[in-house]
Amino acid sequence: MGKHNTPMLDELEKGPWPSFVSDIKQQVANGKHILKEAPDDLLGVMELSYVDKVTHWKHGGIVGVFGYGGGIIGRYCDQPQMFPGVAHFHTVRVNQPSSKFYTAKYLRELCDLWERHGSGLTNMHGSTGDIVFLGTTTDHLEPLFFEMTHELNQDLGGSGSNLRTPECCLGQSRCEFACYDTQEACDNLTHEYQDELHRPAFPYKFKFKFDGCPNGCVASIARSDMSFIGTWRDNIRIDQAAVKAYVGGEFAPNAGAYSGRDWGKFDILKEVVDLCPTNCMRWDGSKLEINDKECVRCMHCLNVMPRALRKGLDTGTSILFGAKAPILEGAQMSTLTVPFLKMESPFSEAKDLVEKVWDWWMEEGKNRERLGELIQRKSFQEFLRVCELDPDPRMVDEPRSNPYIFWKEEEVEGGWTRDIDAFRAKHQR
Amino acid sequence: MPYDPSAPLKDRITDIGPRHYGEFLPPVIKKNKGKWLYHEILQPGVLVHVAESGDKVFSVRVGGCRLMSVEHLREICDIADKYCDGYLRFTTRNNIEFLLADESKLKPLVDDLKSRKFSGGSNKFPVGGTGAGVTNIVHTQGWAHCHTPAIDASGVVKAVMDAIYDEFDHMKLPAPVRVSLACCLNMCGAVHCSDIAILGIHRKPPMVDGEWIDKLCELPLAIAACPTGAIKPAKTADGKKSLEVKAERCMFCGNCYTMCAAMPLADELGSGIAILVGGKLSNRISKPKFSKVVIPFIPNEPPRWPSTVEAVKNIIDVYSKDAHKYERLGDWAERIGWERFFEKTNIPFTHHLIDDYRFAYTTWRQSTQFKF
């Protein structure tokens, strides 16, 4: 039995889905966390919010570790007398390894570290991908950081107007669709830009995300200022015998992903050829043909028949810029800017582009203006000039419908300087 | 040598970044990286990936609460040690994946995972979250840890997942349904491209704490933070510098509160949930798209948010019955037309659902093509 009576939270112990309330209670009962009262008082303050229907957390103050301007988020309870165990309850963001593979040994070291210096509660993982240590006091921050760096060889993640912790899908480690090594790209750029990750120098946050293919499992097109999405520019590899095996019912379509309902016999025409967004496929009953030149690599046919169709061999990434959530001007998705780039270590071309974009954004961006908003304010044309890229019809869904073109003087024959007297000599007033 | 508080900068190590992923890859993954041929979902939550070498790796996916204790994490480690030589990973959507090369351990692992319960009776490790079903709901902090939320996060997720659990461990929907929750418009959960988004919103303009605002905030920053220009300088009755909010211009984004702690806006009656549907991230068949607001407000109903749960369940049920195979929720709504979506789901269409912000015109109908 904990400190607080929590009848409302207790209702969340019922039902089949794992209960975070039961989990916190097991930490209360058995945990060795140094902040003895923290999990118990967290239940208490949450129960109070369930009664009041508003939060009881205050704005964070400036807390952190020496030399860093990010990685720790200050958090204070607005009822510290009632809940002293969470009066100060700061968050620590710990930079996860690429695609979140762990050994049990390493996870236990993290658990031990966190019990020595905090509440014993975590988020696995935070929205941007970090391992999140949830709740500690200011006096634990430096010892925690010292032990983390010295004993675990592990650094903090990003917060504030910094590069945020980059994130990737699992990529080539366990996926046949991955068009480049997302793990290596993510790890390499994270290490390259440690200064930007730890010390705020930007107008606002900046996120990299690395998706291995256009299925987009790590949501880069919606959630990152710079989205790397794997693609290929040669032909889909077809194993005709395997296509026939799908048609004949020998292989389960969609790798079995739709097997919970009887959708009838697999119909390659209806389920693949007719759903192709560019109608670039043909099936004559024995052979599947793809007009690869017209393919937009939507992934549908590969997803349906992974044993028969494989991505091309000339693989790389598309780069898109400017996604963000609604605050302030409205939600944006990333815009295609580099249709194709080879993506191999040490990723020099990608880094050149990153640095051009950052220089411009740091020069021109207003306080709390995301890159996507700056591009809208200054124009996509201006952004292309910054990136030193030529315009390409692939960058737009359609050409502009208004003719309000901002012509440059050097584009217009004879320039803009004219003589009104010479004009009047021909045209009376 | 332990940390010495009298010399905090002595032997300091900084900027070392994350650990290298290579340290944590199971041998079968390390050996076959970049050489995977295909995968199969053997049963909900259980995948096999087959490499060019013929090697196989089995993955068992279980739902996790993003808010997780180290006690629970240690239990996960014990399971990984017992069946998986100590290897595991987490997915982008807060699932846990146990990875093993030895097929003989697969069934014992799944059986073991399914047998473990929390003291209150809920499953510790629900196996599922693959294919054409609902996988784990990604979410934000809510009342557990955030200063700007309109709603709780973990509790709403728990209540909704309990109600649609059957879709987590089956694969019987027309396509994957990705449900996401963000507890305010800041959307650190970035739910704006989800099949179903549960979003915390406020409906009362910020209060101004006139006694304190000039001490706590940079007033010009708070004024500049407002995207609709609703905030202007003012003086309190006793002459202190303060701010005033033109309430009819406020669209309750809370950006001023982010900049200034003396302008709180959360409220017992004012704050609650909006439901958005039809977004997607994948480029599969159709392009990625934003989620659209279909229910402008549902009150906060702790502890189990019955109206929100019912709304999500209703949308999934109607979609499940009506959509074609491979149609994501947004593709289905576009095919039948949004007028039909509201008719079939029995959701009232109100003036709140017509856009009147920045890009509003792009969502109005400039055509006589509509359905009666």
Side-chain angles (χ1 to χ4, degrees):
Chain A
M1 182 64 201
K3 269 170 77 174
H4 304 283
N5 201 15
T6 56
M8 293 186 90
L9 288 181
D10 295 351
E11 288 297 310
L12 292 170
E13 294 200 84
K14 300 168 183 167
W17 189 250
S19 168
F20 69 98
V21 176
S22 300
D23 187 11
I24 297 173
K25 284 185 177 178
Q26 75 173 2
Q27 185 70 30
V28 170
N30 308 320
K32 294 169 191 66
H33 43 280
I34 191 153
L35 301 178
K36 284 282 165 249
E37 294 180 297
D40 225 339
D41 277 346
L42 179 65
L43 289 172
V45 72
M46 279 192 82
E47 179 75 13
L48 184 63
S49 281
Y50 273 54
V51 174
D52 292 346
K53 301 184 188 177
V54 286
T55 190
H56 283 286
W57 299 102
K58 297 199 283 187
H59 271 67
I62 308 278
V63 290
V65 297
F66 287 118
Y68 281 13
I72 316 278
I73 294 94
R75 186 65 68 226
Y76 302 91
C77 179
D78 72 5
Q79 291 293 353
Q81 295 82 7
M82 289 167 78
F83 308 107
V86 294
H88 296 213
F89 205 59
H90 311 320
T91 307
V92 181
R93 291 187 184 162
V94 180
N95 196 332
Q96 82 288 358
S98 280
S99 56
K100 309 184 186 82
F101 282 90
Y102 295 101
T103 56
K105 177 176 177 294
Y106 184 59
L107 272 185
R108 285 199 188 93
E109 288 170 10
L110 286 171
C111 291
D112 295 346
L113 172 73
W114 185 227
E115 278 197 328
R116 288 200 301 276
H117 291 295
S119 70
L121 302 175
T122 75
N123 289 151
M124 296 297 285
H125 295 73
S127 292
T128 305
D130 295 281
I131 302 157
V132 173
F133 288 166
L134 204 62
T136 192
T137 52
T138 307
D139 55 322
H140 277 287
L141 294 175
E142 285 297 339
L144 170 84
F145 181 69
F146 186 92
E147 289 170 32
M148 191 196 293
T149 50
H150 284 75
E151 294 166 22
L152 272 64
N153 190 27
Q154 170 70 54
D155 208 337
L156 296 176
S159 67
S161 292
N162 292 16
L163 173 63
R164 297 300 183 87
T165 307
E167 193 182 18
C168 61
C169 70
L170 55 58
Q172 295 177 338
S173 70
R174 203 201 59 196
C175 182
E176 64 268 31
F177 300 140
C179 294
Y180 67 97
D181 189 345
T182 57
Q183 291 183 300
E184 183 55 27
C186 183
D187 189 74
N188 187 301
L189 268 74
T190 305
H191 281 95
E192 176 83 23
Y193 297 117
Q194 281 292 295
D195 191 32
E196 287 79 1
L197 202 151
H198 297 305
R199 295 169 196 89
F202 293 153
Y204 202 10
K205 64 182 90 167
F206 193 96
K207 298 183 181 182
F208 295 132
K209 287 193 195 290
F210 302 88
D211 273 313
C213 83
N215 279 330
C217 290
V218 81
S220 67
I221 201 164
R223 302 188 57 179
S224 53
D225 300 85
M226 186 172 185
S227 324
F228 297 82
I229 304 179
T231 196
W232 65 93
R233 55 183 173 183
D234 55 349
N235 295 344
I236 292 173
R237 289 172 283 166
I238 308 178
D239 177 344
Q240 296 290 354
V243 175
K244 282 186 190 148
Y246 279 108
V247 173
E250 201 180 313
F251 294 159
N254 304 291
Y258 290 72
S259 60
R261 191 194 289 197
D262 182 9
W263 291 98
K265 188 176 176 302
F266 175 62
D267 181 341
I268 191 172
L269 283 175
K270 192 171 144 218
E271 297 189 40
V272 181
V273 174
D274 292 349
L275 289 179
C276 171
T278 61
N279 294 313
C280 72
M281 309 183 83
R282 205 166 70 176
W283 168 252
D284 64 5
S286 65
K287 193 173 176 218
L288 183 72
E289 282 178 75
I290 300 176
N291 180 1
D292 285 275
K293 202 164 172 357
E294 300 307 311
C295 171
V296 291
R297 302 165 309 287
C298 84
M299 298 298 294
H300 177 63
C301 58
L302 279 79
N303 288 333
V304 177
M305 302 191 291
R307 298 180 74 160
L309 303 179
R310 302 176 71 190
K311 63 180 166 49
L313 291 166
D314 185 9
T315 58
T317 188
S318 299
I319 302 178
L320 300 83
F321 285 96
K324 55 179 281 293
I327 298 285
L328 277 173
E329 295 298 316
Q332 289 181 214
M333 277 190 254
S334 285
T335 299
L336 180 69
T337 308
V338 178
F340 187 86
L341 186 71
K342 279 292 193 188
M343 201 59 182
E344 280 149 15
S345 188
F347 311 103
S348 308
E349 280 184 78
K351 289 173 190 169
D352 281 350
L353 188 59
V354 167
E355 287 159 29
K356 283 178 200 163
V357 170
W358 280 351
D359 280 349
W360 179 65
W361 180 49
M362 285 193 282
E363 184 70 28
E364 299 284 349
K366 296 193 280 197
N367 184 33
R368 283 167 59 80
E369 186 174 43
R370 290 286 285 272
L371 178 68
E373 290 164 328
L374 176 65
I375 297 171
Q376 285 226 44
R377 181 162 66 82
K378 302 293 280 188
S379 83
F380 193 68
Q381 285 90 330
E382 179 65 23
F383 183 60
L384 290 181
R385 278 192 284 278
V386 166
C387 297
E388 297 176 73
L389 292 169
D390 292 326
D392 185 311
R394 291 166 190 82
M395 295 166 181
V396 295
D397 271 342
E398 58 185 35
R400 70 193 306 154
S401 50
N402 68 67
Y404 303 147
I405 299 164
F406 288 96
W407 292 101
K408 297 265 177 281
E409 182 171 14
E410 61 272 20
E411 291 178 318
V412 181
E413 297 79 0
W416 287 348
T417 310
R418 289 182 286 165
D419 181 1
I420 188 68
D421 294 333
F423 179 80
R424 286 293 167 225
K426 287 188 181 172
H427 306 277
Q428 296 178 26
R429 201 169 277 117
Chain B
M1 171 208 51
Y3 174 71
D4 175 3
S6 66
L9 297 180
K10 189 161 173 273
D11 300 324
R12 197 168 185 78
I13 297 173
T14 66
D15 299 280
I16 54 174
R19 291 275 285 261
H20 192 263
Y21 58 88
E23 296 177 56
F24 306 119
L25 300 179
V28 63
I29 295 267
K30 207 171 241 181
K31 178 182 163 201
N32 295 289
K33 188 172 169 179
K35 294 175 191 147
W36 296 102
L37 262 185
Y38 67 91
H39 73 283
E40 246 178 89
I41 305 172
L42 302 173
Q43 65 188 70
V46 180
L47 305 105
V48 59
H49 286 77
V50 182
E52 289 169 8
S53 64
D55 288 351
K56 293 178 178 178
V57 63
F58 298 89
S59 306
V60 180
R61 185 177 295 171
V62 306
C65 294
R66 156 185 140 127
L67 175 43
M68 193 175 278
S69 74
V70 297
E71 284 291 308
H72 191 59
L73 271 169
R74 289 199 179 104
E75 186 170 344
I76 292 169
C77 293
D78 292 342
I79 296 169
D81 275 343
K82 186 168 177 192
Y83 298 97
C84 310
D85 300 320
Y87 292 101
L88 71 149
R89 70 176 291 268
F90 288 77
T91 73
T92 308
R93 299 191 73 89
N94 306 128
N95 294 307
I96 305 142
E97 285 182 346
F98 294 96
L99 304 154
L100 61 169
D102 180 355
E103 190 169 2
S104 71
K105 290 183 180 165
L106 184 59
K107 190 173 180 304
L109 168 62
V110 172
D111 291 345
D112 188 349
L113 289 167
K114 287 185 174 175
S115 74
R116 294 180 189 235
K117 313 276 183 203
F118 278 113
S119 59
S122 64
N123 293 299
K124 275 185 170 170
F125 302 107
V127 177
T130 49
V134 171
T135 187
N136 205 347
I137 300 180
V138 288
H139 66 89
T140 55
Q141 299 286 22
W143 294 337
H145 205 247
C146 183
H147 63 298
T148 66
I151 60 175
D152 187 34
S154 309
V156 184
V157 166
K158 162 71 176 151
V160 171
M161 282 308 290
D162 279 343
I164 57 175
Y165 187 80
D166 194 44
E167 307 296 355
F168 177 80
D169 65 0
H170 289 83
M171 303 185 289
K172 54 190 167 66
L173 292 175
V177 173
R178 298 283 177 256
V179 187
S180 310
L181 180 145
C183 52
C184 83
L185 297 183
N186 277 314
M187 281 194 199
C188 52
V191 302
H192 55 289
C193 295
S194 308
D195 293 282
I196 300 179
I198 302 166
L199 177 64
I201 60 158
H202 300 290
R203 296 185 307 163
K204 294 192 182 183
M207 296 177 282
V208 177
D209 189 349
E211 281 302 302
W212 283 91
I213 192 163
D214 193 34
K215 295 193 188 76
L216 290 172
C217 310
E218 293 284 350
L219 300 186
L221 281 181
I223 293 169
C226 181
T228 64
I231 304 173
K232 61 180 186 183
K235 285 225 161 86
T236 60
D238 55 352
K240 290 195 177 74
K241 274 193 188 170
S242 180
L243 297 175
E244 187 183 313
V245 180
K246 197 164 190 179
E248 65 274 20
R249 275 203 199 164
C250 179
M251 48 68 168
F252 318 100
C253 68
N255 201 44
C256 52
Y257 182 58
T258 301
M259 299 305 289
C260 171
M263 301 183 73
L265 74 167
D267 184 83
E268 179 183 358
L269 300 175
S271 305
I273 284 171
I275 303 284
L276 294 78
V277 308
K280 70 193 274 277
L281 295 156
S282 153
N283 285 272
R284 184 175 184 172
I285 304 177
S286 62
K287 292 176 188 172
K289 42 188 152 226
F290 289 124
S291 314
K292 288 91 181 161
V293 184
V294 294
I295 302 177
F297 186 76
I298 302 172
N300 262 317
E301 297 169 325
R304 295 203 63 104
W305 282 269
S307 305
T308 300
V309 168
E310 187 46 44
V312 172
K313 203 169 175 331
N314 171 49
I315 291 166
I316 293 177
D317 287 347
V318 175
Y319 158 76
S320 177
K321 287 193 191 86
D322 204 59
H324 296 167
K325 188 178 181 185
Y326 302 118
E327 256 177 354
R328 292 289 288 262
L329 206 151
D331 297 328
W332 164 67
E334 285 173 14
R335 176 174 60 81
I336 63 172
W338 285 98
E339 55 269 59
R340 283 283 181 276
F341 170 88
F342 286 98
E343 189 182 299
K344 284 177 190 272
T345 55
N346 213 13
I347 296 172
F349 186 85
T350 65
H351 72 88
H352 311 95
L353 306 180
I354 301 173
D355 197 353
D356 53 3
Y357 197 56
R358 298 282 197 263
F359 312 120
Y361 172 83
T362 59
T363 63
W364 304 340
R365 182 165 291 174
Q366 287 92 36
S367 154
T368 56
Q369 294 186 5
F370 61 87
K371 292 180 183 176
F372 286 108

Coordinates of all heavy atoms in Angstrom, one line a residue, chain A residues 269-319:
Chain A
L269 N -4.0 -9.0 -60.0 CA -4.5 -7.8 -60.8 C -5.2 -6.8 -59.9 O -4.8 -5.6 -59.9 CB -5.5 -8.3 -61.9 CG -4.8 -8.9 -63.1 CD1 -5.9 -9.5 -64.0 CD2 -3.9 -7.9 -63.8
K270 N -6.1 -7.3 -59.1 CA -6.9 -6.4 -58.2 C -6.0 -5.8 -57.1 O -6.1 -4.6 -56.7 CB -8.0 -7.2 -57.7 CG -9.1 -6.3 -57.0 CD -10.3 -7.2 -56.6 CE -10.9 -6.8 -55.3 NZ -11.4 -7.8 -54.4
E271 N -5.1 -6.6 -56.6 CA -4.4 -6.2 -55.3 C -3.1 -5.5 -55.6 O -2.6 -4.8 -54.7 CB -4.2 -7.4 -54.4 CG -5.5 -8.0 -53.9 CD -5.3 -9.1 -52.8 OE1 -4.5 -8.9 -52.0 OE2 -6.0 -10.1 -52.9
V272 N -2.5 -5.7 -56.8 CA -1.2 -5.1 -57.0 C -1.3 -4.2 -58.3 O -1.2 -3.0 -58.2 CB -0.2 -6.2 -57.2 CG1 1.2 -5.6 -57.5 CG2 -0.1 -7.1 -56.0
V273 N -1.6 -4.9 -59.5 CA -1.4 -4.2 -60.7 C -2.4 -3.0 -60.8 O -2.0 -1.8 -61.1 CB -1.7 -5.1 -61.9 CG1 -1.7 -4.4 -63.2 CG2 -0.6 -6.2 -61.9
D274 N -3.7 -3.2 -60.4 CA -4.6 -2.1 -60.5 C -4.5 -1.0 -59.4 O -5.0 0.1 -59.5 CB -6.1 -2.6 -60.4 CG -6.4 -3.5 -61.6 OD1 -5.7 -3.4 -62.6 OD2 -7.5 -4.1 -61.6
L275 N -3.8 -1.3 -58.3 CA -3.5 -0.4 -57.3 C -2.3 0.5 -57.5 O -2.0 1.4 -56.7 CB -3.5 -1.0 -55.9 CG -4.8 -1.6 -55.4 CD1 -4.7 -2.2 -54.0 CD2 -5.9 -0.5 -55.3
C276 N -1.5 0.1 -58.5 CA -0.2 0.8 -58.7 C -0.6 2.3 -59.1 O -1.4 2.5 -60.0 CB 0.5 0.2 -59.9 SG 1.9 1.2 -60.4
P277 N 0.0 3.3 -58.3 CA -0.5 4.6 -58.5 C -0.1 5.2 -59.9 O -0.7 6.2 -60.3 CB 0.3 5.4 -57.4 CG 1.4 4.5 -56.9 CD 0.9 3.1 -57.2
T278 N 0.8 4.6 -60.6 CA 1.1 5.1 -61.9 C 0.8 4.1 -63.1 O 1.2 4.3 -64.2 CB 2.6 5.5 -62.1 OG1 3.4 4.3 -61.9 CG2 3.1 6.5 -61.1
N279 N 0.1 3.1 -62.7 CA -0.3 2.1 -63.7 C 0.9 1.6 -64.5 O 0.8 1.5 -65.8 CB -1.4 2.6 -64.6 CG -2.7 2.9 -63.9 OD1 -3.1 2.0 -63.1 ND2 -3.2 4.0 -64.0
C280 N 2.0 1.3 -63.9 CA 3.2 1.0 -64.6 C 3.4 -0.5 -64.6 O 4.5 -1.0 -64.9 CB 4.4 1.8 -64.2 SG 5.0 1.3 -62.6
M281 N 2.4 -1.3 -64.2 CA 2.6 -2.8 -64.1 C 1.7 -3.5 -65.0 O 0.6 -3.1 -65.3 CB 2.4 -3.3 -62.7 CG 3.1 -2.5 -61.6 SD 2.8 -3.1 -60.0 CE 4.1 -4.4 -59.9
R282 N 2.1 -4.7 -65.5 CA 1.3 -5.5 -66.3 C 1.5 -7.0 -65.9 O 2.6 -7.4 -65.7 CB 1.7 -5.3 -67.8 CG 0.5 -5.7 -68.7 CD 0.8 -5.1 -70.1 NE 1.9 -5.9 -70.7 CZ 2.3 -5.7 -72.0 NH1 1.7 -4.8 -72.7 NH2 3.2 -6.4 -72.5
W283 N 0.4 -7.7 -65.9 CA 0.4 -9.2 -65.6 C -0.4 -9.9 -66.6 O -1.6 -9.6 -66.8 CB -0.1 -9.4 -64.2 CG -0.4 -10.9 -63.9 CD1 -1.7 -11.5 -63.8 CD2 0.5 -11.9 -63.6 NE1 -1.5 -12.8 -63.5 CE2 -0.2 -13.1 -63.4 CE3 1.9 -11.9 -63.6 CZ2 0.4 -14.3 -63.1 CZ3 2.5 -13.1 -63.3 CH2 1.8 -14.3 -63.0
D284 N 0.3 -10.8 -67.4 CA -0.4 -11.4 -68.5 C -0.8 -12.9 -68.1 O -1.1 -13.7 -69.0 CB 0.4 -11.4 -69.8 CG 1.7 -12.2 -69.6 OD1 1.9 -12.8 -68.6 OD2 2.5 -12.2 -70.6
G285 N -0.8 -13.2 -66.9 CA -1.1 -14.5 -66.5 C 0.1 -15.4 -66.2 O 0.0 -16.4 -65.5
S286 N 1.2 -15.0 -66.8 CA 2.4 -15.8 -66.5 C 3.7 -14.9 -66.2 O 4.6 -15.4 -65.6 CB 2.7 -16.7 -67.7 OG 3.1 -15.9 -68.8
K287 N 3.6 -13.6 -66.6 CA 4.8 -12.8 -66.4 C 4.4 -11.4 -65.9 O 3.4 -10.8 -66.4 CB 5.5 -12.7 -67.7 CG 6.9 -12.1 -67.6 CD 7.7 -12.1 -68.9 CE 9.0 -11.4 -68.7 NZ 9.5 -10.6 -69.8
L288 N 5.1 -10.9 -64.9 CA 4.9 -9.6 -64.4 C 5.9 -8.7 -65.0 O 7.1 -8.9 -65.0 CB 5.0 -9.6 -62.9 CG 4.7 -8.2 -62.2 CD1 3.2 -7.9 -62.2 CD2 5.2 -8.2 -60.8
E289 N 5.4 -7.6 -65.6 CA 6.3 -6.6 -66.2 C 6.1 -5.3 -65.4 O 5.0 -4.9 -65.1 CB 5.9 -6.3 -67.6 CG 6.4 -7.4 -68.6 CD 5.9 -7.0 -70.0 OE1 6.5 -6.1 -70.6 OE2 5.0 -7.7 -70.5
I290 N 7.2 -4.6 -65.2 CA 7.1 -3.2 -64.6 C 7.9 -2.2 -65.5 O 9.0 -2.5 -65.9 CB 7.8 -3.2 -63.2 CG1 7.1 -4.2 -62.2 CG2 7.8 -1.8 -62.6 CD1 7.8 -4.4 -60.9
N291 N 7.2 -1.2 -65.8 CA 7.8 -0.1 -66.5 C 8.5 0.8 -65.5 O 7.9 1.8 -65.0 CB 6.8 0.6 -67.4 CG 7.4 1.8 -68.2 OD1 8.6 2.0 -68.1 ND2 6.6 2.5 -68.9
D292 N 9.7 0.5 -65.2 CA 10.4 1.1 -64.0 C 10.5 2.6 -64.2 O 10.6 3.4 -63.2 CB 11.7 0.5 -63.8 CG 11.6 -0.8 -63.1 OD1 11.5 -0.9 -61.9 OD2 11.6 -1.9 -63.8
K293 N 10.6 3.1 -65.5 CA 10.8 4.5 -65.7 C 9.6 5.3 -65.1 O 9.7 6.4 -64.7 CB 10.9 4.7 -67.2 CG 11.6 6.0 -67.6 CD 12.1 6.0 -69.0 CE 12.6 7.4 -69.5 NZ 12.5 8.5 -68.7
E294 N 8.4 4.7 -65.1 CA 7.2 5.4 -64.6 C 6.9 5.1 -63.2 O 6.0 5.6 -62.6 CB 6.0 4.9 -65.5 CG 6.1 5.3 -67.0 CD 6.5 6.7 -67.2 OE1 5.8 7.6 -66.6 OE2 7.4 7.0 -68.0
C295 N 7.7 4.2 -62.5 CA 7.5 3.8 -61.1 C 7.8 5.0 -60.2 O 8.9 5.7 -60.4 CB 8.3 2.6 -60.8 SG 8.4 2.2 -59.1
V296 N 7.0 5.3 -59.2 CA 7.3 6.3 -58.2 C 7.7 5.7 -56.9 O 7.8 6.4 -55.9 CB 6.1 7.3 -58.0 CG1 5.9 8.1 -59.2 CG2 4.8 6.5 -57.6
R297 N 8.0 4.4 -56.9 CA 8.5 3.7 -55.7 C 7.7 3.9 -54.4 O 8.1 4.2 -53.4 CB 10.0 4.1 -55.4 CG 10.9 3.9 -56.6 CD 12.2 4.6 -56.5 NE 12.0 6.0 -56.2 CZ 11.6 6.9 -57.1 NH1 11.3 6.6 -58.3 NH2 11.4 8.1 -56.7
C298 N 6.4 3.6 -54.6 CA 5.5 3.8 -53.5 C 5.6 2.6 -52.5 O 5.1 2.7 -51.4 CB 4.0 3.9 -53.9 SG 3.1 2.4 -54.3
M299 N 6.2 1.5 -52.9 CA 6.5 0.3 -52.1 C 5.3 -0.7 -52.0 O 5.5 -1.7 -51.4 CB 6.8 0.7 -50.6 CG 8.1 1.5 -50.4 SD 9.6 0.7 -51.0 CE 9.7 -0.6 -49.8
H300 N 4.1 -0.3 -52.6 CA 3.0 -1.2 -52.4 C 3.3 -2.6 -52.9 O 3.1 -3.6 -52.2 CB 1.8 -0.7 -53.1 CG 0.6 -1.6 -53.0 ND1 0.0 -2.0 -51.8 CD2 -0.1 -2.3 -54.0 CE1 -1.0 -2.8 -52.0 NE2 -1.1 -3.0 -53.3
C301 N 3.8 -2.7 -54.2 CA 4.0 -4.1 -54.7 C 5.1 -4.8 -54.0 O 5.0 -6.1 -53.8 CB 4.3 -4.0 -56.2 SG 5.7 -3.0 -56.7
L302 N 6.1 -4.1 -53.5 CA 7.1 -4.8 -52.7 C 6.6 -5.3 -51.4 O 6.9 -6.4 -50.9 CB 8.3 -3.9 -52.5 CG 9.4 -3.7 -53.6 CD1 8.9 -2.8 -54.6 CD2 10.7 -3.2 -53.0
N303 N 5.7 -4.4 -50.8 CA 5.1 -4.8 -49.5 C 4.2 -6.1 -49.7 O 4.1 -6.9 -48.8 CB 4.2 -3.7 -48.9 CG 5.1 -2.5 -48.4 OD1 6.2 -2.7 -48.0 ND2 4.5 -1.3 -48.4
V304 N 3.5 -6.1 -50.8 CA 2.6 -7.3 -51.0 C 3.3 -8.5 -51.4 O 3.0 -9.6 -50.9 CB 1.6 -6.9 -52.2 CG1 0.6 -8.1 -52.4 CG2 0.7 -5.7 -51.8
M305 N 4.4 -8.4 -52.1 CA 5.1 -9.6 -52.6 C 6.6 -9.5 -52.3 O 7.5 -9.5 -53.2 CB 4.9 -9.8 -54.1 CG 3.4 -10.0 -54.5 SD 3.2 -10.5 -56.2 CE 3.7 -9.1 -57.1
P306 N 7.0 -9.5 -51.0 CA 8.4 -9.2 -50.7 C 9.3 -10.4 -51.1 O 10.5 -10.1 -51.3 CB 8.4 -9.1 -49.1 CG 7.1 -9.8 -48.7 CD 6.1 -9.6 -49.8
R307 N 8.8 -11.5 -51.4 CA 9.7 -12.6 -51.8 C 9.9 -12.6 -53.3 O 10.8 -13.3 -53.8 CB 9.1 -14.0 -51.4 CG 9.0 -14.2 -49.9 CD 8.5 -15.5 -49.5 NE 9.4 -16.6 -49.7 CZ 9.4 -17.8 -49.1 NH1 8.4 -18.0 -48.3 NH2 10.3 -18.7 -49.3
A308 N 9.1 -11.8 -54.0 CA 9.2 -11.8 -55.5 C 9.8 -10.5 -56.0 O 10.4 -10.5 -57.1 CB 7.8 -12.0 -56.1
L309 N 9.6 -9.4 -55.3 CA 10.0 -8.1 -55.8 C 11.0 -7.5 -54.8 O 10.7 -7.5 -53.6 CB 8.8 -7.1 -56.0 CG 7.7 -7.6 -56.9 CD1 6.6 -6.6 -57.0 CD2 8.3 -7.9 -58.3
R310 N 12.1 -7.0 -55.3 CA 13.1 -6.4 -54.4 C 13.5 -5.0 -55.0 O 13.5 -4.8 -56.2 CB 14.3 -7.2 -54.3 CG 14.0 -8.6 -53.8 CD 15.3 -9.5 -53.8 NE 16.2 -9.1 -52.7 CZ 17.4 -9.6 -52.6 NH1 17.9 -10.4 -53.5 NH2 18.2 -9.2 -51.6
K311 N 13.8 -4.1 -54.1 CA 14.2 -2.8 -54.5 C 15.4 -2.9 -55.4 O 16.0 -3.9 -55.5 CB 14.7 -2.0 -53.2 CG 15.8 -2.6 -52.5 CD 16.2 -1.8 -51.3 CE 17.2 -2.6 -50.4 NZ 18.3 -3.2 -51.0
G312 N 15.7 -1.8 -56.2 CA 16.8 -1.8 -57.1 C 18.1 -1.9 -56.4 O 18.2 -2.0 -55.1
L313 N 19.2 -1.9 -57.1 CA 20.6 -2.0 -56.6 C 21.3 -0.6 -56.5 O 22.2 -0.5 -55.7 CB 21.4 -2.9 -57.4 CG 21.0 -4.4 -57.3 CD1 21.6 -5.2 -58.4 CD2 21.3 -5.0 -55.9
D314 N 20.8 0.3 -57.3 CA 21.4 1.7 -57.2 C 20.6 2.5 -56.2 O 19.7 3.2 -56.6 CB 21.3 2.3 -58.6 CG 22.0 3.7 -58.7 OD1 22.7 4.0 -57.7 OD2 21.9 4.4 -59.7
T315 N 20.9 2.3 -55.0 CA 20.1 2.9 -53.9 C 20.8 4.1 -53.3 O 22.0 4.3 -53.4 CB 19.9 1.8 -52.8 OG1 21.2 1.4 -52.3 CG2 19.1 0.7 -53.3
G316 N 20.0 4.9 -52.6 CA 20.5 6.1 -51.9 C 19.3 6.7 -51.1 O 18.4 6.0 -50.6
T317 N 19.3 8.0 -51.1 CA 18.2 8.7 -50.3 C 17.7 9.9 -51.0 O 18.4 10.5 -51.9 CB 18.8 9.2 -48.9 OG1 17.7 9.6 -48.1 CG2 19.8 10.3 -49.1
S318 N 16.4 10.1 -50.8 CA 15.9 11.5 -51.1 C 16.0 12.3 -49.9 O 15.9 11.8 -48.8 CB 14.4 11.3 -51.5 OG 14.2 10.5 -52.7
I319 N 16.2 13.6 -50.1 CA 16.2 14.5 -48.9 C 15.1 15.5 -49.0 O 14.9 16.2 -50.0 CB 17.6 15.2 -48.8 CG1 18.7 14.1 -48.7 CG2 17.6 16.1 -47.6 CD1 20.1 14.7 -48.6

